[in-house]
Amino acid sequence: MNSPFHRPVLVNKVIELLITDKSGIYVDCTLGGGGHCRAILESLSPEGKVIAMDIDQEAIQYSSRLLKEYRGRITIRRENFRHIGELLHQEGISKVQGIFLDLGVSSHQLETPSRGFSYKSEGPLDMRMDREQEKRAFQVVNFYEEEKLKWIFQHYGEERFSGRIARAIVKEREKGPIDSTQKLVQIILPLIPGPGANKTLSRIFQAIRIEVNRELENLRACLEASMDVLDKGGRIAVIAYHSLEDRIVKSFFKDRSGRCVCPPGLPKCVCRREGDLKILTKKPVTPDEDERRTNPRSRSAKLRVAEKL
Ligand SMILES: C[S@@+](CC[C@H](N)C(=O)[O-])C[C@H]1O[C@@H](n2cnc3c(N)ncnc32)[C@H](O)[C@@H]1O
């Protein structure tokens, strides 16, 4: 499981909660280094199949090699998970028994300086998961208006110095393009009083990454589309690594679980909403002490699972 590409999180829990039919078809929407995917394949019977996708060509190449022993039981495609419906349609599949998403970036993406995801190393302002896409972090940092930058830092980074940082970026770029991770770091660092600079850097980089890759939009679209292809009794499992994603998953599950939407104060329910999901994790599943210690990246992980009714 200790792939140099990415170390998967909460693997046993994912298998325990996701697999209901060992000969079913499962979709791994975020193949990455293939750790979860391999665990899913190994827990299935020889009839069980996996359709796996990732938007990143490097993940596809790495995992295709890693999983070649499962040829015939796995289909790997480079695709955005928001297109899960179209992909399954192309494969001639109408319903699947499980859908899995392990959100965010892989360790490989984060630790490859030329991808520009990390504030810790020097690299171009890139941050694209899909390297065929036009928009990079460079465009966001150098061409977005100050107000829009501030909004992104506030909403996607939940950063309290958003205004100050947006203003400094706009002032600095008048002198010349901000074209590297470390140039951006050097603009932000003097603005942060006391300790906590790394947390701010991490939040600002996260915010830009979310904007470049339209991460929240893609997640919402994938959750919606998943409901059309998930079989009755099938399950959807999602691991989120920050509160923005986790909130989207939590409220999507709640909305689809038939929660009453009557205005407060009515003597009895009149909306009679019927849900099509049953929430299996009232509270999100988190890694135990041992996993948190041995895999620090797992510390913020929250797994939520729901079953299609
Ligand atoms: C945390 S990693 C997954 C790690 C994987 N579970 C493993 O065991 O190695 C997240 C992966 O999701 C991919 N990804 C992010 N957004 C995506 C999207 N919209 N469509 C498809 N893949 C996406 C990233 O490229 C990255 O490889």
Side-chain angles (χ1 to χ4, degrees), residues 1 3 5-9 11 28-38 53-57 59 63 78-82 100-107 109 115 129-130 213-215 218-219 222 239 241 297:
M1 258 342 146
S3 145
F5 199 97
H6 184 83
R7 188 167 174 182
V9 168
V11 179
D28 181 351
C29 292
T30 49
L31 177 63
H36 285 106
C37 193
R38 166 178 265 174
M53 70 188 101
D54 202 292
I55 195 70
D56 187 335
Q57 188 59 32
S63 293
R78 197 183 78 80
E79 185 55 271
N80 190 316
F81 55 53
R82 66 182 298 146
F100 174 60
L101 288 98
D102 180 21
L103 300 169
V105 277
S106 65
S107 304
Q109 287 167 329
R115 304 289 302 260
M129 292 184 189
D130 173 2
N213 298 289
R214 301 168 69 189
E215 291 179 32
N218 287 332
L219 172 59
C222 178
I239 304 180
Y241 293 88
R297 238 208 83 158

Side-chain angles (χ1 to χ4, degrees), residues 2 25 49 73 83 96 116 132 184 254:
N2 287 334
I25 303 177
K49 290 195 164 59
R73 293 180 55 208
H83 300 134
V96 296
E132 287 177 10
L184 182 58
K254 248 190 177 167

Side-chain angles (χ1 to χ4, degrees), residues 12 22 27 40 76 98 105 117 166 176 190-191 200 240 253 255 259 274 286 290:
N12 295 338
K22 284 183 185 279
V27 184
I40 296 171
I76 297 179
V105 277
F117 281 105
L191 308 171
T200 292
F253 283 5
D255 283 349
R259 182 179 55 149
E274 277 178 27
T286 53
D290 195 39

Side-chain angles (χ1 to χ4, degrees), residues 13-69:
K13 273 288 168 195
V14 168
I15 299 304
E16 181 189 318
L17 291 166
L18 178 70
I19 311 293
T20 50
D21 171 2
K22 284 183 185 279
S23 52
I25 303 177
Y26 290 81
V27 184
D28 181 351
C29 292
T30 49
L31 177 63
H36 285 106
C37 193
R38 166 178 265 174
I40 296 171
L41 281 158
E42 285 186 352
S43 74
L44 299 179
S45 69
E47 292 76 42
K49 290 195 164 59
V50 173
I51 311 292
M53 70 188 101
D54 202 292
I55 195 70
D56 187 335
Q57 188 59 32
E58 287 177 14
I60 297 292
Q61 266 163 9
Y62 179 86
S63 293
S64 299
R65 268 197 308 272
L66 181 87
L67 300 170
K68 61 174 185 290
E69 65 188 280

